[in-house]
Structures are given as C-alpha cells and as structure tokens.
Amino acid sequence: MNKLEVVREVGFGVYLDGDDLGGILLPKRYVPEGCKIGDQLDVFVYMDSDDFPIAITEEPKVQLGDVAALKVVSVEKVGVFLDWGLPKDLFLPYSEIRSQHPSVGDTVLVYVYMDNTNRICASARLDRFLDKEPADYKSNQQVNLVIAGQTDLGYKAVVNGTHWGVLYHDEVFRKLRRGYKTRGFIKRVRPDGKIDLSLDKPGYAKVDRLQQKVLQHLEERNGYSPLNDKSPPEQIYSTYGVSKKAYKMAIGGLYRQRLISIDDDGIRLVEEK
C-alpha cells in the first residue's frame, strides 16, 4: 500500500503523484467522496491489462513478498490465474508450479514476487524465495506464520514470509489447514539455521492467565479435576486449549503457591485453614 497525493482531477477519476512512474490513475469508482487536489490517499498500485500502473483503494488479499493460499479462477495455456481480491487476477506461470498443474477451484500456496518485466506474479516454488538470508530471530520472538502443510515431524510453516520453520506434532493439538495464518513464537534457531516454532509463547508467558482458568475450573467442579501432570496432551488441550507443557507450568506454579495439590488421580484445591 502507498500513500500518494492527488495531483489532477479528470472526468473518469483522479491522478496521483507516482514519482518516477508519473501520474497514476485512480478510477472514479474508487475516489472517496469529497476528494480534492492535495489529499493523500492510501492506495495499492499494480499494472492494468494494458500494462499501465493503476491505483485502487481496496487492499488485496496478498501483497509483494507475502505468502498466501489463493484460489484458481481460470486456467490458460501459459499458466493459471488466482483470486487475490482485485479486478485483475494474479498470474501464476506454469514455470512457477512445482508439481501437477492445478484446476479451477483448487487452492495454491504461493509467494508473490516481481518478475523481470516489473509485473506482480505468483510462484508456488516457495523454496526459491525463502531461507535466502540467515535466520536472525531470537527465542520467544513473536512472528507471523502461514501453514504450508503437514510433514512427518509436524507442520511446515512460513515465518514472516522469509524462512521455513517447523511446528512439532507433540505441541499442536488441532488440525491446521494449508494456508492458515496465525501468530507464533520462535522456540529456537538451530546451528544449521533450521527454526523450531511454537503456537504458545515459551516459558511462563501464558501461565498467569491459565492459572486463573485452572482455579475457576476447580471451583466449578467442587475443587477437583482429573487432569494432572500425567494426563494426555489431547485431554489438556480439549479442556484448556494449551499444550501440556504450558499446563504443567501452570499447575506447578499453583502447587508452589500451595493453592492446589497434585495427586495421582488429578489435582485438588487446597482448603484454607
């Protein structure tokens, strides 16, 4: 998105100051009511069907350097076109597709790049664009994730549109679909540059809130819950929506505060004396 100044009004819209690109047309249907010369407008700029730069006030589903799952809306001889939320569909060349060519209605995970003719295009060959720079992340750092698919280890995910990372099976307790966008956290960057991820912030970041949920859960059930530090991860996630590790930290903190007891058959509120 760009903030551009209105420099000229015409019957079919307004022209914006595109610097080296010259005047960029914002068609009339996108011109805000009361718009006048000198106003600054937030617009997205791309090439129209005649290869002229054109502006639009609508924000696309994906922008340059982003990764997203987009639906195929048409199939042509040279490639397929994807719905990215703009009147002109996004082009995915066959040369940028790794395996079998998709059909209309299929969803394809793509990286958005600029080709050598300065056109915005899509590529399903994500390895060409990711992991090009060393992974400069810190443990516990919050990042944006796009789920790329399931592997033997867990789920492969794109980190901040720049690197590959992995969410391991024993820390994910729900099915994640390809293209799903979510917040995540860096667990660690390995010496070989591979990135381990978590959906929960490592450490005690979620424990305080979770402790309150555990206490409330106990109070609603006469001070007893069958979930202790030995319970299956799936049961813990089904009740609290967190990993077993986070739950163990929470009840461990409550135990040290002498608010609960941890027994073989579950946990219990400690009665006040």
Side-chain angles (χ1 to χ4, degrees), residues 79-137:
V80 303
F81 288 87
L82 309 172
D83 174 18
W84 65 326
L86 297 185
K88 181 184 178 184
D89 298 321
L90 183 63
F91 180 49
L92 170 59
Y94 282 137
S95 61
E96 294 297 328
I97 300 174
R98 292 177 52 188
S99 54
Q100 183 177 355
H101 294 170
S103 303
V104 172
D106 289 347
T107 298
V108 185
L109 190 70
V110 296
Y111 179 93
V112 179
Y113 72 103
M114 188 85 76
D115 71 6
N116 55 12
T117 64
N118 290 328
R119 293 180 178 86
I120 297 177
C121 294
S123 173
R125 299 170 62 187
L126 272 60
D127 288 334
R128 289 186 54 209
F129 303 94
L130 303 181
D131 289 342
K132 295 301 183 183
E133 300 292 336
D136 186 22
Y137 298 105

Side-chain angles (χ1 to χ4, degrees), residues 186-232:
I186 303 293
K187 285 186 66 177
R188 59 183 166 271
V189 179
R190 297 177 179 269
D192 61 2
K194 294 182 178 179
I195 302 171
D196 293 345
L197 302 167
S198 175
L199 294 180
D200 294 333
K201 187 171 183 179
Y204 284 81
K206 294 189 68 177
V207 165
D208 288 347
R209 183 177 63 181
L210 182 54
Q211 286 176 343
Q212 293 297 324
K213 290 178 68 174
V214 172
L215 292 174
Q216 182 178 354
H217 184 83
L218 288 168
E219 290 169 355
E220 293 172 351
R221 289 158 180 79
N222 298 318
Y224 169 75
S225 169
L227 298 177
N228 59 14
D229 53 355
K230 303 294 193 302
S231 297

Side-chain angles (χ1 to χ4, degrees), residues 4 40 59 62 86 113 117 120 123 137 139 167 181 203 214 233 235:
L4 302 181
Q40 301 278 335
E59 188 169 350
V62 64
L86 297 185
Y113 72 103
T117 64
I120 297 177
S123 173
Y137 298 105
S139 295
L167 290 159
K181 296 182 178 182
V214 172
Q235 291 183 13

Side-chain angles (χ1 to χ4, degrees), residues 13-25:
V14 298
Y15 279 93
L16 308 173
D17 181 7
D19 198 16
D20 293 343
L21 294 177
I24 298 177
L25 176 66

Side-chain angles (χ1 to χ4, degrees), residues 6 11 24 70 76 78 94 97 131 134 150 185 192 202 205 251:
V6 178
I24 298 177
L70 302 177
E76 308 297 338
V78 292
Y94 282 137
I97 300 174
D131 289 342
Q150 198 164 0
F185 297 91
D192 61 2
I251 63 175

